[in-house]
Amino acid sequence: MLKVKAGDLDKMSLLFERYHRPLYGFLYHMTYRREASEDMVQTVFYKMLKYRYTFTGEGEFVHWMYSIARNVLKDSARKSKLPMQQESVDDMADRIGGGTPADGQLEKKQAHRELHNAMARLNEDQREVLTLSRFQELKHQEIAKILNITEGAVKVRVHRAMQELKEIYVKMER
């Protein structure tokens, strides 16, 4: 990003190739809207390019990127004020694919559907912290920098969100 900031805009394509999938995953798990998430990824990279001068290089690039993504997510939610449209989990599971036997694939679809439904029932803050920690596999220290809170607060939020997710999941199985 420092090279992009210095004027080597060709390096932006390298950043896009490296980070567009994890960024899409984060935005999708926050909205459950495929097309909107794709659009927001584009918006995040546009804003990174537009505001490249604000990247100081003191912190890690991903912290800066996720901060921009969180702002884009908030702007999108404020503008649309539409209820979240959930994409068919079956459609998404089909795209994941894999070479598993039919029974294994059905079990995978069912487990994915249940997790998707349970995650959708969490509040936005809980879904955000779990998405960053479990799906994006960021360390608590990194999440703390992104959310601008202490590492201890991240640990507490992750723990509470996991407890809530478990409760929702158990209720859904009954």
Side-chain angles (χ1 to χ4, degrees), residues 60-64 66-67 132-133 136-151 154:
E60 287 193 41
F61 167 75
V62 288
H63 303 153
W64 183 70
Y66 279 114
S67 295
L132 290 170
S133 68
Q136 302 301 314
E137 299 177 357
L138 296 177
K139 292 180 170 82
H140 290 149
Q141 182 181 15
E142 295 173 311
I143 297 169
K145 290 178 183 176
I146 292 167
L147 301 180
N148 199 25
I149 58 176
T150 66
E151 191 174 341
V154 171

mmCIF file with all atom_site columns, all heavy atoms in Angstrom, residues 60-64 66-67 132-133 136-151 154:
data_model
loop_
_atom_site.group_PDB
_atom_site.id
_atom_site.type_symbol
_atom_site.label_atom_id
_atom_site.label_alt_id
_atom_site.label_comp_id
_atom_site.label_asym_id
_atom_site.label_entity_id
_atom_site.label_seq_id
_atom_site.pdbx_PDB_ins_code
_atom_site.Cartn_x
_atom_site.Cartn_y
_atom_site.Cartn_z
_atom_site.occupancy
_atom_site.B_iso_or_equiv
_atom_site.pdbx_formal_charge
_atom_site.auth_seq_id
_atom_site.auth_comp_id
_atom_site.auth_asym_id
_atom_site.auth_atom_id
_atom_site.pdbx_PDB_model_num
ATOM 1   N N   . GLU A 1 60  ? -0.798  -2.286  10.439 1.00 0.00 ? 60  GLU A N   1
ATOM 2   C CA  . GLU A 1 60  ? -0.879  -3.227  9.337  1.00 0.00 ? 60  GLU A CA  1
ATOM 3   C C   . GLU A 1 60  ? -1.934  -2.793  8.327  1.00 0.00 ? 60  GLU A C   1
ATOM 4   O O   . GLU A 1 60  ? -2.944  -2.189  8.689  1.00 0.00 ? 60  GLU A O   1
ATOM 5   C CB  . GLU A 1 60  ? -1.202  -4.628  9.858  1.00 0.00 ? 60  GLU A CB  1
ATOM 6   C CG  . GLU A 1 60  ? -0.033  -5.275  10.567 1.00 0.00 ? 60  GLU A CG  1
ATOM 7   C CD  . GLU A 1 60  ? -0.269  -6.748  10.791 1.00 0.00 ? 60  GLU A CD  1
ATOM 8   O OE1 . GLU A 1 60  ? -0.786  -7.416  9.885  1.00 0.00 ? 60  GLU A OE1 1
ATOM 9   O OE2 . GLU A 1 60  ? 0.081   -7.207  11.886 1.00 0.00 ? 60  GLU A OE2 1
ATOM 10  N N   . PHE A 1 61  ? -1.706  -3.145  7.092  1.00 0.00 ? 61  PHE A N   1
ATOM 11  C CA  . PHE A 1 61  ? -2.620  -2.794  6.010  1.00 0.00 ? 61  PHE A CA  1
ATOM 12  C C   . PHE A 1 61  ? -4.023  -3.342  6.250  1.00 0.00 ? 61  PHE A C   1
ATOM 13  O O   . PHE A 1 61  ? -5.012  -2.642  6.032  1.00 0.00 ? 61  PHE A O   1
ATOM 14  C CB  . PHE A 1 61  ? -2.074  -3.319  4.671  1.00 0.00 ? 61  PHE A CB  1
ATOM 15  C CG  . PHE A 1 61  ? -3.069  -3.271  3.567  1.00 0.00 ? 61  PHE A CG  1
ATOM 16  C CD1 . PHE A 1 61  ? -3.400  -2.064  2.976  1.00 0.00 ? 61  PHE A CD1 1
ATOM 17  C CD2 . PHE A 1 61  ? -3.692  -4.428  3.126  1.00 0.00 ? 61  PHE A CD2 1
ATOM 18  C CE1 . PHE A 1 61  ? -4.336  -2.020  1.961  1.00 0.00 ? 61  PHE A CE1 1
ATOM 19  C CE2 . PHE A 1 61  ? -4.621  -4.385  2.111  1.00 0.00 ? 61  PHE A CE2 1
ATOM 20  C CZ  . PHE A 1 61  ? -4.948  -3.175  1.524  1.00 0.00 ? 61  PHE A CZ  1
ATOM 21  N N   . VAL A 1 62  ? -4.126  -4.609  6.717  1.00 0.00 ? 62  VAL A N   1
ATOM 22  C CA  . VAL A 1 62  ? -5.455  -5.203  6.888  1.00 0.00 ? 62  VAL A CA  1
ATOM 23  C C   . VAL A 1 62  ? -6.294  -4.459  7.910  1.00 0.00 ? 62  VAL A C   1
ATOM 24  O O   . VAL A 1 62  ? -7.515  -4.380  7.768  1.00 0.00 ? 62  VAL A O   1
ATOM 25  C CB  . VAL A 1 62  ? -5.395  -6.708  7.246  1.00 0.00 ? 62  VAL A CB  1
ATOM 26  C CG1 . VAL A 1 62  ? -4.964  -7.541  6.074  1.00 0.00 ? 62  VAL A CG1 1
ATOM 27  C CG2 . VAL A 1 62  ? -4.542  -6.965  8.447  1.00 0.00 ? 62  VAL A CG2 1
ATOM 28  N N   . HIS A 1 63  ? -5.679  -3.884  8.916  1.00 0.00 ? 63  HIS A N   1
ATOM 29  C CA  . HIS A 1 63  ? -6.441  -3.111  9.907  1.00 0.00 ? 63  HIS A CA  1
ATOM 30  C C   . HIS A 1 63  ? -7.069  -1.898  9.229  1.00 0.00 ? 63  HIS A C   1
ATOM 31  O O   . HIS A 1 63  ? -8.242  -1.576  9.446  1.00 0.00 ? 63  HIS A O   1
ATOM 32  C CB  . HIS A 1 63  ? -5.546  -2.648  11.055 1.00 0.00 ? 63  HIS A CB  1
ATOM 33  C CG  . HIS A 1 63  ? -4.845  -3.758  11.744 1.00 0.00 ? 63  HIS A CG  1
ATOM 34  N ND1 . HIS A 1 63  ? -3.646  -3.595  12.382 1.00 0.00 ? 63  HIS A ND1 1
ATOM 35  C CD2 . HIS A 1 63  ? -5.149  -5.080  11.893 1.00 0.00 ? 63  HIS A CD2 1
ATOM 36  C CE1 . HIS A 1 63  ? -3.253  -4.744  12.897 1.00 0.00 ? 63  HIS A CE1 1
ATOM 37  N NE2 . HIS A 1 63  ? -4.147  -5.660  12.600 1.00 0.00 ? 63  HIS A NE2 1
ATOM 38  N N   . TRP A 1 64  ? -6.295  -1.232  8.419  1.00 0.00 ? 64  TRP A N   1
ATOM 39  C CA  . TRP A 1 64  ? -6.772  -0.053  7.694  1.00 0.00 ? 64  TRP A CA  1
ATOM 40  C C   . TRP A 1 64  ? -7.875  -0.464  6.715  1.00 0.00 ? 64  TRP A C   1
ATOM 41  O O   . TRP A 1 64  ? -8.916  0.181   6.636  1.00 0.00 ? 64  TRP A O   1
ATOM 42  C CB  . TRP A 1 64  ? -5.586  0.584   6.976  1.00 0.00 ? 64  TRP A CB  1
ATOM 43  C CG  . TRP A 1 64  ? -5.872  1.844   6.237  1.00 0.00 ? 64  TRP A CG  1
ATOM 44  C CD1 . TRP A 1 64  ? -6.161  3.072   6.773  1.00 0.00 ? 64  TRP A CD1 1
ATOM 45  C CD2 . TRP A 1 64  ? -5.859  2.023   4.820  1.00 0.00 ? 64  TRP A CD2 1
ATOM 46  N NE1 . TRP A 1 64  ? -6.331  3.998   5.775  1.00 0.00 ? 64  TRP A NE1 1
ATOM 47  C CE2 . TRP A 1 64  ? -6.145  3.373   4.564  1.00 0.00 ? 64  TRP A CE2 1
ATOM 48  C CE3 . TRP A 1 64  ? -5.629  1.164   3.752  1.00 0.00 ? 64  TRP A CE3 1
ATOM 49  C CZ2 . TRP A 1 64  ? -6.222  3.889   3.288  1.00 0.00 ? 64  TRP A CZ2 1
ATOM 50  C CZ3 . TRP A 1 64  ? -5.701  1.679   2.469  1.00 0.00 ? 64  TRP A CZ3 1
ATOM 51  C CH2 . TRP A 1 64  ? -5.989  3.030   2.245  1.00 0.00 ? 64  TRP A CH2 1
ATOM 52  N N   . TYR A 1 66  ? -9.918  -3.139  6.809  1.00 0.00 ? 66  TYR A N   1
ATOM 53  C CA  . TYR A 1 66  ? -11.159 -3.513  7.496  1.00 0.00 ? 66  TYR A CA  1
ATOM 54  C C   . TYR A 1 66  ? -11.844 -2.304  8.128  1.00 0.00 ? 66  TYR A C   1
ATOM 55  O O   . TYR A 1 66  ? -13.072 -2.276  8.225  1.00 0.00 ? 66  TYR A O   1
ATOM 56  C CB  . TYR A 1 66  ? -10.908 -4.599  8.547  1.00 0.00 ? 66  TYR A CB  1
ATOM 57  C CG  . TYR A 1 66  ? -10.844 -5.986  7.948  1.00 0.00 ? 66  TYR A CG  1
ATOM 58  C CD1 . TYR A 1 66  ? -9.663  -6.710  7.963  1.00 0.00 ? 66  TYR A CD1 1
ATOM 59  C CD2 . TYR A 1 66  ? -11.954 -6.574  7.359  1.00 0.00 ? 66  TYR A CD2 1
ATOM 60  C CE1 . TYR A 1 66  ? -9.592  -7.981  7.418  1.00 0.00 ? 66  TYR A CE1 1
ATOM 61  C CE2 . TYR A 1 66  ? -11.903 -7.838  6.804  1.00 0.00 ? 66  TYR A CE2 1
ATOM 62  C CZ  . TYR A 1 66  ? -10.712 -8.536  6.840  1.00 0.00 ? 66  TYR A CZ  1
ATOM 63  O OH  . TYR A 1 66  ? -10.659 -9.790  6.298  1.00 0.00 ? 66  TYR A OH  1
ATOM 64  N N   . SER A 1 67  ? -11.100 -1.306  8.524  1.00 0.00 ? 67  SER A N   1
ATOM 65  C CA  . SER A 1 67  ? -11.717 -0.081  9.038  1.00 0.00 ? 67  SER A CA  1
ATOM 66  C C   . SER A 1 67  ? -12.519 0.602   7.932  1.00 0.00 ? 67  SER A C   1
ATOM 67  O O   . SER A 1 67  ? -13.635 1.066   8.157  1.00 0.00 ? 67  SER A O   1
ATOM 68  C CB  . SER A 1 67  ? -10.652 0.868   9.579  1.00 0.00 ? 67  SER A CB  1
ATOM 69  O OG  . SER A 1 67  ? -10.024 0.306   10.698 1.00 0.00 ? 67  SER A OG  1
ATOM 70  N N   . LEU A 1 132 ? -14.851 -11.761 11.998 1.00 0.00 ? 132 LEU A N   1
ATOM 71  C CA  . LEU A 1 132 ? -13.430 -11.407 11.984 1.00 0.00 ? 132 LEU A CA  1
ATOM 72  C C   . LEU A 1 132 ? -12.569 -12.482 12.631 1.00 0.00 ? 132 LEU A C   1
ATOM 73  O O   . LEU A 1 132 ? -11.496 -12.812 12.127 1.00 0.00 ? 132 LEU A O   1
ATOM 74  C CB  . LEU A 1 132 ? -13.210 -10.064 12.695 1.00 0.00 ? 132 LEU A CB  1
ATOM 75  C CG  . LEU A 1 132 ? -13.750 -8.838  11.966 1.00 0.00 ? 132 LEU A CG  1
ATOM 76  C CD1 . LEU A 1 132 ? -13.691 -7.612  12.878 1.00 0.00 ? 132 LEU A CD1 1
ATOM 77  C CD2 . LEU A 1 132 ? -12.990 -8.587  10.679 1.00 0.00 ? 132 LEU A CD2 1
ATOM 78  N N   . SER A 1 133 ? -13.043 -13.062 13.730 1.00 0.00 ? 133 SER A N   1
ATOM 79  C CA  . SER A 1 133 ? -12.210 -14.035 14.436 1.00 0.00 ? 133 SER A CA  1
ATOM 80  C C   . SER A 1 133 ? -12.279 -15.434 13.839 1.00 0.00 ? 133 SER A C   1
ATOM 81  O O   . SER A 1 133 ? -11.251 -16.101 13.719 1.00 0.00 ? 133 SER A O   1
ATOM 82  C CB  . SER A 1 133 ? -12.571 -14.085 15.921 1.00 0.00 ? 133 SER A CB  1
ATOM 83  O OG  . SER A 1 133 ? -13.857 -14.637 16.106 1.00 0.00 ? 133 SER A OG  1
ATOM 84  N N   . GLN A 1 136 ? -12.535 -14.858 9.163  1.00 0.00 ? 136 GLN A N   1
ATOM 85  C CA  . GLN A 1 136 ? -11.372 -14.159 8.623  1.00 0.00 ? 136 GLN A CA  1
ATOM 86  C C   . GLN A 1 136 ? -10.092 -14.598 9.322  1.00 0.00 ? 136 GLN A C   1
ATOM 87  O O   . GLN A 1 136 ? -8.999  -14.234 8.909  1.00 0.00 ? 136 GLN A O   1
ATOM 88  C CB  . GLN A 1 136 ? -11.539 -12.640 8.749  1.00 0.00 ? 136 GLN A CB  1
ATOM 89  C CG  . GLN A 1 136 ? -12.774 -12.106 8.041  1.00 0.00 ? 136 GLN A CG  1
ATOM 90  C CD  . GLN A 1 136 ? -12.784 -12.411 6.569  1.00 0.00 ? 136 GLN A CD  1
ATOM 91  O OE1 . GLN A 1 136 ? -11.783 -12.218 5.903  1.00 0.00 ? 136 GLN A OE1 1
ATOM 92  N NE2 . GLN A 1 136 ? -13.900 -12.892 6.064  1.00 0.00 ? 136 GLN A NE2 1
ATOM 93  N N   . GLU A 1 137 ? -10.244 -15.331 10.423 1.00 0.00 ? 137 GLU A N   1
ATOM 94  C CA  . GLU A 1 137 ? -9.131  -15.893 11.189 1.00 0.00 ? 137 GLU A CA  1
ATOM 95  C C   . GLU A 1 137 ? -8.115  -14.843 11.645 1.00 0.00 ? 137 GLU A C   1
ATOM 96  O O   . GLU A 1 137 ? -6.908  -15.066 11.637 1.00 0.00 ? 137 GLU A O   1
ATOM 97  C CB  . GLU A 1 137 ? -8.444  -17.003 10.391 1.00 0.00 ? 137 GLU A CB  1
ATOM 98  C CG  . GLU A 1 137 ? -9.372  -18.156 10.077 1.00 0.00 ? 137 GLU A CG  1
ATOM 99  C CD  . GLU A 1 137 ? -8.738  -19.245 9.231  1.00 0.00 ? 137 GLU A CD  1
ATOM 100 O OE1 . GLU A 1 137 ? -7.567  -19.089 8.816  1.00 0.00 ? 137 GLU A OE1 1
ATOM 101 O OE2 . GLU A 1 137 ? -9.416  -20.252 8.992  1.00 0.00 ? 137 GLU A OE2 1
ATOM 102 N N   . LEU A 1 138 ? -8.629  -13.693 12.051 1.00 0.00 ? 138 LEU A N   1
ATOM 103 C CA  . LEU A 1 138 ? -7.758  -12.648 12.580 1.00 0.00 ? 138 LEU A CA  1
ATOM 104 C C   . LEU A 1 138 ? -7.516  -12.904 14.064 1.00 0.00 ? 138 LEU A C   1
ATOM 105 O O   . LEU A 1 138 ? -8.373  -13.432 14.765 1.00 0.00 ? 138 LEU A O   1
ATOM 106 C CB  . LEU A 1 138 ? -8.391  -11.273 12.381 1.00 0.00 ? 138 LEU A CB  1
ATOM 107 C CG  . LEU A 1 138 ? -8.605  -10.820 10.933 1.00 0.00 ? 138 LEU A CG  1
ATOM 108 C CD1 . LEU A 1 138 ? -9.306  -9.477  10.904 1.00 0.00 ? 138 LEU A CD1 1
ATOM 109 C CD2 . LEU A 1 138 ? -7.295  -10.747 10.182 1.00 0.00 ? 138 LEU A CD2 1
ATOM 110 N N   . LYS A 1 139 ? -6.370  -12.496 14.525 1.00 0.00 ? 139 LYS A N   1
ATOM 111 C CA  . LYS A 1 139 ? -6.027  -12.633 15.941 1.00 0.00 ? 139 LYS A CA  1
ATOM 112 C C   . LYS A 1 139 ? -6.765  -11.552 16.731 1.00 0.00 ? 139 LYS A C   1
ATOM 113 O O   . LYS A 1 139 ? -7.133  -10.515 16.195 1.00 0.00 ? 139 LYS A O   1
ATOM 114 C CB  . LYS A 1 139 ? -4.523  -12.488 16.114 1.00 0.00 ? 139 LYS A CB  1
ATOM 115 C CG  . LYS A 1 139 ? -3.742  -13.630 15.504 1.00 0.00 ? 139 LYS A CG  1
ATOM 116 C CD  . LYS A 1 139 ? -2.249  -13.426 15.717 1.00 0.00 ? 139 LYS A CD  1
ATOM 117 C CE  . LYS A 1 139 ? -1.470  -14.636 15.345 1.00 0.00 ? 139 LYS A CE  1
ATOM 118 N NZ  . LYS A 1 139 ? -1.166  -14.831 13.991 1.00 0.00 ? 139 LYS A NZ  1
ATOM 119 N N   . HIS A 1 140 ? -6.946  -11.821 18.026 1.00 0.00 ? 140 HIS A N   1
ATOM 120 C CA  . HIS A 1 140 ? -7.650  -10.863 18.888 1.00 0.00 ? 140 HIS A CA  1
ATOM 121 C C   . HIS A 1 140 ? -6.981  -9.495  18.855 1.00 0.00 ? 140 HIS A C   1
ATOM 122 O O   . HIS A 1 140 ? -7.658  -8.467  18.874 1.00 0.00 ? 140 HIS A O   1
ATOM 123 C CB  . HIS A 1 140 ? -7.733  -11.391 20.318 1.00 0.00 ? 140 HIS A CB  1
ATOM 124 C CG  . HIS A 1 140 ? -8.662  -12.561 20.445 1.00 0.00 ? 140 HIS A CG  1
ATOM 125 N ND1 . HIS A 1 140 ? -8.467  -13.562 21.360 1.00 0.00 ? 140 HIS A ND1 1
ATOM 126 C CD2 . HIS A 1 140 ? -9.790  -12.897 19.774 1.00 0.00 ? 140 HIS A CD2 1
ATOM 127 C CE1 . HIS A 1 140 ? -9.429  -14.449 21.257 1.00 0.00 ? 140 HIS A CE1 1
ATOM 128 N NE2 . HIS A 1 140 ? -10.241 -14.072 20.296 1.00 0.00 ? 140 HIS A NE2 1
ATOM 129 N N   . GLN A 1 141 ? -5.670  -9.486  18.813 1.00 0.00 ? 141 GLN A N   1
ATOM 130 C CA  . GLN A 1 141 ? -4.931  -8.220  18.774 1.00 0.00 ? 141 GLN A CA  1
ATOM 131 C C   . GLN A 1 141 ? -5.280  -7.428  17.512 1.00 0.00 ? 141 GLN A C   1
ATOM 132 O O   . GLN A 1 141 ? -5.466  -6.216  17.568 1.00 0.00 ? 141 GLN A O   1
ATOM 133 C CB  . GLN A 1 141 ? -3.428  -8.509  18.821 1.00 0.00 ? 141 GLN A CB  1
ATOM 134 C CG  . GLN A 1 141 ? -2.560  -7.280  18.829 1.00 0.00 ? 141 GLN A CG  1
ATOM 135 C CD  . GLN A 1 141 ? -1.074  -7.652  18.852 1.00 0.00 ? 141 GLN A CD  1
ATOM 136 O OE1 . GLN A 1 141 ? -0.705  -8.789  18.597 1.00 0.00 ? 141 GLN A OE1 1
ATOM 137 N NE2 . GLN A 1 141 ? -0.246  -6.678  19.158 1.00 0.00 ? 141 GLN A NE2 1
ATOM 138 N N   . GLU A 1 142 ? -5.383  -8.126  16.382 1.00 0.00 ? 142 GLU A N   1
ATOM 139 C CA  . GLU A 1 142 ? -5.727  -7.454  15.124 1.00 0.00 ? 142 GLU A CA  1
ATOM 140 C C   . GLU A 1 142 ? -7.158  -6.929  15.154 1.00 0.00 ? 142 GLU A C   1
ATOM 141 O O   . GLU A 1 142 ? -7.423  -5.805  14.711 1.00 0.00 ? 142 GLU A O   1
ATOM 142 C CB  . GLU A 1 142 ? -5.568  -8.426  13.948 1.00 0.00 ? 142 GLU A CB  1
ATOM 143 C CG  . GLU A 1 142 ? -4.137  -8.861  13.717 1.00 0.00 ? 142 GLU A CG  1
ATOM 144 C CD  . GLU A 1 142 ? -4.018  -9.943  12.669 1.00 0.00 ? 142 GLU A CD  1
ATOM 145 O OE1 . GLU A 1 142 ? -4.757  -10.948 12.746 1.00 0.00 ? 142 GLU A OE1 1
ATOM 146 O OE2 . GLU A 1 142 ? -3.176  -9.770  11.768 1.00 0.00 ? 142 GLU A OE2 1
ATOM 147 N N   . ILE A 1 143 ? -8.073  -7.729  15.693 1.00 0.00 ? 143 ILE A N   1
ATOM 148 C CA  . ILE A 1 143 ? -9.470  -7.309  15.793 1.00 0.00 ? 143 ILE A CA  1
ATOM 149 C C   . ILE A 1 143 ? -9.587  -6.088  16.692 1.00 0.00 ? 143 ILE A C   1
ATOM 150 O O   . ILE A 1 143 ? -10.346 -5.157  16.408 1.00 0.00 ? 143 ILE A O   1
ATOM 151 C CB  . ILE A 1 143 ? -10.354 -8.459  16.309 1.00 0.00 ? 143 ILE A CB  1
ATOM 152 C CG1 . ILE A 1 143 ? -10.327 -9.619  15.309 1.00 0.00 ? 143 ILE A CG1 1
ATOM 153 C CG2 . ILE A 1 143 ? -11.783 -7.995  16.547 1.00 0.00 ? 143 ILE A CG2 1
ATOM 154 C CD1 . ILE A 1 143 ? -10.936 -10.904 15.828 1.00 0.00 ? 143 ILE A CD1 1
ATOM 155 N N   . ALA A 1 144 ? -8.817  -6.064  17.771 1.00 0.00 ? 144 ALA A N   1
ATOM 156 C CA  . ALA A 1 144 ? -8.840  -4.924  18.691 1.00 0.00 ? 144 ALA A CA  1
ATOM 157 C C   . ALA A 1 144 ? -8.457  -3.641  17.962 1.00 0.00 ? 144 ALA A C   1
ATOM 158 O O   . ALA A 1 144 ? -9.073  -2.591  18.169 1.00 0.00 ? 144 ALA A O   1
ATOM 159 C CB  . ALA A 1 144 ? -7.892  -5.179  19.861 1.00 0.00 ? 144 ALA A CB  1
ATOM 160 N N   . LYS A 1 145 ? -7.459  -3.715  17.096 1.00 0.00 ? 145 LYS A N   1
ATOM 161 C CA  . LYS A 1 145 ? -7.047  -2.528  16.341 1.00 0.00 ? 145 LYS A CA  1
ATOM 162 C C   . LYS A 1 145 ? -8.123  -2.103  15.347 1.00 0.00 ? 145 LYS A C   1
ATOM 163 O O   . LYS A 1 145 ? -8.376  -0.911  15.175 1.00 0.00 ? 145 LYS A O   1
ATOM 164 C CB  . LYS A 1 145 ? -5.734  -2.786  15.614 1.00 0.00 ? 145 LYS A CB  1
ATOM 165 C CG  . LYS A 1 145 ? -4.551  -2.904  16.555 1.00 0.00 ? 145 LYS A CG  1
ATOM 166 C CD  . LYS A 1 145 ? -3.273  -3.211  15.829 1.00 0.00 ? 145 LYS A CD  1
ATOM 167 C CE  . LYS A 1 145 ? -2.120  -3.384  16.801 1.00 0.00 ? 145 LYS A CE  1
ATOM 168 N NZ  . LYS A 1 145 ? -0.886  -3.786  16.126 1.00 0.00 ? 145 LYS A NZ  1
ATOM 169 N N   . ILE A 1 146 ? -8.769  -3.068  14.701 1.00 0.00 ? 146 ILE A N   1
ATOM 170 C CA  . ILE A 1 146 ? -9.815  -2.762  13.728 1.00 0.00 ? 146 ILE A CA  1
ATOM 171 C C   . ILE A 1 146 ? -11.010 -2.117  14.405 1.00 0.00 ? 146 ILE A C   1
ATOM 172 O O   . ILE A 1 146 ? -11.556 -1.126  13.926 1.00 0.00 ? 146 ILE A O   1
ATOM 173 C CB  . ILE A 1 146 ? -10.253 -4.040  12.971 1.00 0.00 ? 146 ILE A CB  1
ATOM 174 C CG1 . ILE A 1 146 ? -9.113  -4.531  12.076 1.00 0.00 ? 146 ILE A CG1 1
ATOM 175 C CG2 . ILE A 1 146 ? -11.515 -3.792  12.148 1.00 0.00 ? 146 ILE A CG2 1
ATOM 176 C CD1 . ILE A 1 146 ? -9.316  -5.932  11.531 1.00 0.00 ? 146 ILE A CD1 1
ATOM 177 N N   . LEU A 1 147 ? -11.429 -2.683  15.541 1.00 0.00 ? 147 LEU A N   1
ATOM 178 C CA  . LEU A 1 147 ? -12.611 -2.193  16.249 1.00 0.00 ? 147 LEU A CA  1
ATOM 179 C C   . LEU A 1 147 ? -12.298 -1.044  17.205 1.00 0.00 ? 147 LEU A C   1
ATOM 180 O O   . LEU A 1 147 ? -13.201 -0.478  17.810 1.00 0.00 ? 147 LEU A O   1
ATOM 181 C CB  . LEU A 1 147 ? -13.277 -3.336  17.023 1.00 0.00 ? 147 LEU A CB  1
ATOM 182 C CG  . LEU A 1 147 ? -13.743 -4.537  16.205 1.00 0.00 ? 147 LEU A CG  1
ATOM 183 C CD1 . LEU A 1 147 ? -14.373 -5.582  17.120 1.00 0.00 ? 147 LEU A CD1 1
ATOM 184 C CD2 . LEU A 1 147 ? -14.710 -4.115  15.116 1.00 0.00 ? 147 LEU A CD2 1
ATOM 185 N N   . ASN A 1 148 ? -11.006 -0.748  17.383 1.00 0.00 ? 148 ASN A N   1
ATOM 186 C CA  . ASN A 1 148 ? -10.567 0.313   18.271 1.00 0.00 ? 148 ASN A CA  1
ATOM 187 C C   . ASN A 1 148 ? -11.025 0.072   19.720 1.00 0.00 ? 148 ASN A C   1
ATOM 188 O O   . ASN A 1 148 ? -11.561 0.955   20.377 1.00 0.00 ? 148 ASN A O   1
ATOM 189 C CB  . ASN A 1 148 ? -11.042 1.679   17.766 1.00 0.00 ? 148 ASN A CB  1
ATOM 190 C CG  . ASN A 1 148 ? -10.245 2.810   18.373 1.00 0.00 ? 148 ASN A CG  1
ATOM 191 O OD1 . ASN A 1 148 ? -9.096  2.629   18.780 1.00 0.00 ? 148 ASN A OD1 1
ATOM 192 N ND2 . ASN A 1 148 ? -10.855 3.977   18.451 1.00 0.00 ? 148 ASN A ND2 1
ATOM 193 N N   . ILE A 1 149 ? -10.803 -1.172  20.165 1.00 0.00 ? 149 ILE A N   1
ATOM 194 C CA  . ILE A 1 149 ? -11.102 -1.560  21.543 1.00 0.00 ? 149 ILE A CA  1
ATOM 195 C C   . ILE A 1 149 ? -9.909  -2.358  22.066 1.00 0.00 ? 149 ILE A C   1
ATOM 196 O O   . ILE A 1 149 ? -8.980  -2.642  21.318 1.00 0.00 ? 149 ILE A O   1
ATOM 197 C CB  . ILE A 1 149 ? -12.401 -2.406  21.647 1.00 0.00 ? 149 ILE A CB  1
ATOM 198 C CG1 . ILE A 1 149 ? -12.303 -3.674  20.784 1.00 0.00 ? 149 ILE A CG1 1
ATOM 199 C CG2 . ILE A 1 149 ? -13.621 -1.573  21.265 1.00 0.00 ? 149 ILE A CG2 1
ATOM 200 C CD1 . ILE A 1 149 ? -13.500 -4.602  20.908 1.00 0.00 ? 149 ILE A CD1 1
ATOM 201 N N   . THR A 1 150 ? -9.940  -2.731  23.331 1.00 0.00 ? 150 THR A N   1
ATOM 202 C CA  . THR A 1 150 ? -8.826  -3.481  23.904 1.00 0.00 ? 150 THR A CA  1
ATOM 203 C C   . THR A 1 150 ? -8.907  -4.949  23.491 1.00 0.00 ? 150 THR A C   1
ATOM 204 O O   . THR A 1 150 ? -9.980  -5.451  23.133 1.00 0.00 ? 150 THR A O   1
ATOM 205 C CB  . THR A 1 150 ? -8.828  -3.406  25.433 1.00 0.00 ? 150 THR A CB  1
ATOM 206 O OG1 . THR A 1 150 ? -9.993  -4.081  25.927 1.00 0.00 ? 150 THR A OG1 1
ATOM 207 C CG2 . THR A 1 150 ? -8.789  -1.965  25.934 1.00 0.00 ? 150 THR A CG2 1
ATOM 208 N N   . GLU A 1 151 ? -7.772  -5.608  23.584 1.00 0.00 ? 151 GLU A N   1
ATOM 209 C CA  . GLU A 1 151 ? -7.726  -7.035  23.261 1.00 0.00 ? 151 GLU A CA  1
ATOM 210 C C   . GLU A 1 151 ? -8.605  -7.830  24.229 1.00 0.00 ? 151 GLU A C   1
ATOM 211 O O   . GLU A 1 151 ? -9.271  -8.786  23.838 1.00 0.00 ? 151 GLU A O   1
ATOM 212 C CB  . GLU A 1 151 ? -6.283  -7.522  23.325 1.00 0.00 ? 151 GLU A CB  1
ATOM 213 C CG  . GLU A 1 151 ? -6.075  -8.897  22.773 1.00 0.00 ? 151 GLU A CG  1
ATOM 214 C CD  . GLU A 1 151 ? -4.612  -9.299  22.705 1.00 0.00 ? 151 GLU A CD  1
ATOM 215 O OE1 . GLU A 1 151 ? -3.728  -8.424  22.747 1.00 0.00 ? 151 GLU A OE1 1
ATOM 216 O OE2 . GLU A 1 151 ? -4.364  -10.509 22.621 1.00 0.00 ? 151 GLU A OE2 1
ATOM 217 N N   . VAL A 1 154 ? -12.131 -7.673  23.133 1.00 0.00 ? 154 VAL A N   1
ATOM 218 C CA  . VAL A 1 154 ? -12.366 -8.571  21.995 1.00 0.00 ? 154 VAL A CA  1
ATOM 219 C C   . VAL A 1 154 ? -12.601 -9.987  22.495 1.00 0.00 ? 154 VAL A C   1
ATOM 220 O O   . VAL A 1 154 ? -13.537 -10.664 22.056 1.00 0.00 ? 154 VAL A O   1
ATOM 221 C CB  . VAL A 1 154 ? -11.185 -8.546  20.997 1.00 0.00 ? 154 VAL A CB  1
ATOM 222 C CG1 . VAL A 1 154 ? -11.326 -9.631  19.947 1.00 0.00 ? 154 VAL A CG1 1
ATOM 223 C CG2 . VAL A 1 154 ? -11.073 -7.183  20.332 1.00 0.00 ? 154 VAL A CG2 1
#
